[in-house]
Amino acid sequence: GQNIDQPTEMTATEGAIVQINCTYQTSGFNGLFWYQQHAGEAPTFLSYNVLDGLEEKGRFSSFLSRSKGYSYLLLKELQMKDSASYLCAVRLLNNAGNMLTFGGGTRLMVKP
Amino acid sequence: GAVVSQHPSWVICKSGTSVKIECRSLDFQATTMFWYRQFPKQSLMLMATSNEGSKATYEQGVEKDKFLINHASLTLSTLTVTSAHPEDSSFYICSAKRDDSYNEQFFGPGTRLTVL
């Protein structure tokens, strides 16, 4: 089966840096996505990695190591509005060619 | 941008009734759409993959006769929860994959279903 693990909750301070880890054991890996989801809302796309390395986009960066089955999302200069759930999702190859399997999500609380 | 809408945004119904949820890609074509369910404080669980012009592919444990999916056009997929029961109360989210893009799924705003 597919297995995607993330910490359930994390707490960080406004202005700080936080790293959210994601490990996966899947078959047919074809890319890893990070989504942000505020309570009661749909997920919004943050980043996509398919090759090893770091992808930087403003305050958010995402890293992938395919050999280790490991990714992290790095959030810098935390703001209160960053309090949300962060979902790691792995794309698998299937008939639709784009099926995502989600991890359990990490609830991040940013405190003043 | 790529916008996906869902209708209704919330619905309350009596046990035993059927509820239809629509998912539309407003400014792009989507041969493939996905339906997810999310219970409180849990992550998204894929229910089924909806393909225009063909039968949906259901994930293990999802009853296809209870959750009817129809993808009649390149911009519309519908999910009908038949004979709804209180345990079907959940947040239902659809996503659409652009036909001209490989990487990204665009999510709808979700539909909160409450079955009394």
Side-chain angles (χ1 to χ4, degrees):
Chain A
Q2 323 297 344
N3 201 31
I4 302 174
D5 291 316
Q6 308 177 230
T8 305
E9 289 187 351
M10 297 183 70
T11 303
T13 304
E14 190 176 16
I17 299 173
V18 70
Q19 178 174 312
I20 302 174
N21 296 325
C22 172
T23 58
Y24 62 90
Q25 291 176 309
T26 61
S27 55
F29 175 85
N30 194 26
L32 187 143
F33 296 75
W34 283 96
Y35 287 86
Q36 180 191 61
Q37 185 180 28
H38 286 98
E41 298 180 12
T44 55
F45 171 79
L46 290 179
S47 69
Y48 165 71
N49 295 70
V50 68
L51 300 177
D52 289 351
L54 188 68
E55 294 282 340
E56 297 186 79
K57 188 186 293 185
R59 293 190 299 116
F60 293 5
S61 303
S62 58
F63 171 83
L64 175 67
S65 168
R66 289 172 299 172
S67 62
K68 296 181 180 178
Y70 168 68
S71 172
Y72 67 72
L73 179 70
L74 193 71
L75 291 76
K76 304 175 185 176
E77 302 170 14
L78 280 174
Q79 302 174 9
M80 298 299 291
K81 67 178 182 178
D82 296 330
S83 293
S85 286
Y86 291 86
L87 309 176
C88 168
V90 173
R91 179 167 64 194
L92 308 174
L93 290 174
N94 69 342
N95 291 341
N98 204 39
M99 190 178 83
L100 293 181
T101 299
F102 283 84
T106 299
R107 277 195 304 282
L108 173 66
M109 289 178 285
V110 180
K111 296 185 175 179
Chain B
V3 179
V4 176
S5 70
Q6 278 186 243
H7 178 81
S9 55
W10 60 270
V11 57
I12 301 173
C13 69
K14 292 182 179 180
S15 185
T17 60
S18 294
V19 175
K20 179 186 284 188
I21 303 171
E22 293 185 348
C23 177
R24 292 182 185 272
S25 56
L26 297 186
D27 52 0
F28 64 95
Q29 292 185 333
T31 301
T32 303
M33 294 185 177
F34 303 88
W35 286 97
Y36 296 86
R37 182 166 52 184
Q38 186 176 33
F39 293 105
K41 296 188 177 182
Q42 295 186 23
S43 190
L44 283 75
M45 295 297 297
L46 179 67
M47 297 175 66
T49 303
S50 171
N51 297 295
E52 187 270 338
S54 64
K55 292 182 179 180
T57 304
Y58 290 81
E59 294 303 299
Q60 192 172 7
V62 178
E63 300 174 55
K64 63 180 181 180
D65 294 332
K66 180 171 180 62
F67 298 99
L68 301 179
I69 291 174
N70 184 20
H71 195 149
S73 78
L74 290 174
T75 59
L76 172 65
S77 175
T78 60
L79 169 69
T80 301
V81 183
T82 62
S83 186
H85 291 282
E87 57 265 30
D88 297 324
S89 298
S90 186
F91 194 49
Y92 291 87
I93 304 176
C94 73
S95 70
K97 173 187 168 302
R98 289 182 69 126
D99 285 351
D100 59 356
S101 170
Y102 183 60
N103 289 338
E104 193 172 343
Q105 291 183 27
F106 298 91
F107 285 84
T111 297
R112 185 159 302 283
L113 170 64
T114 302
V115 185
L116 302 176

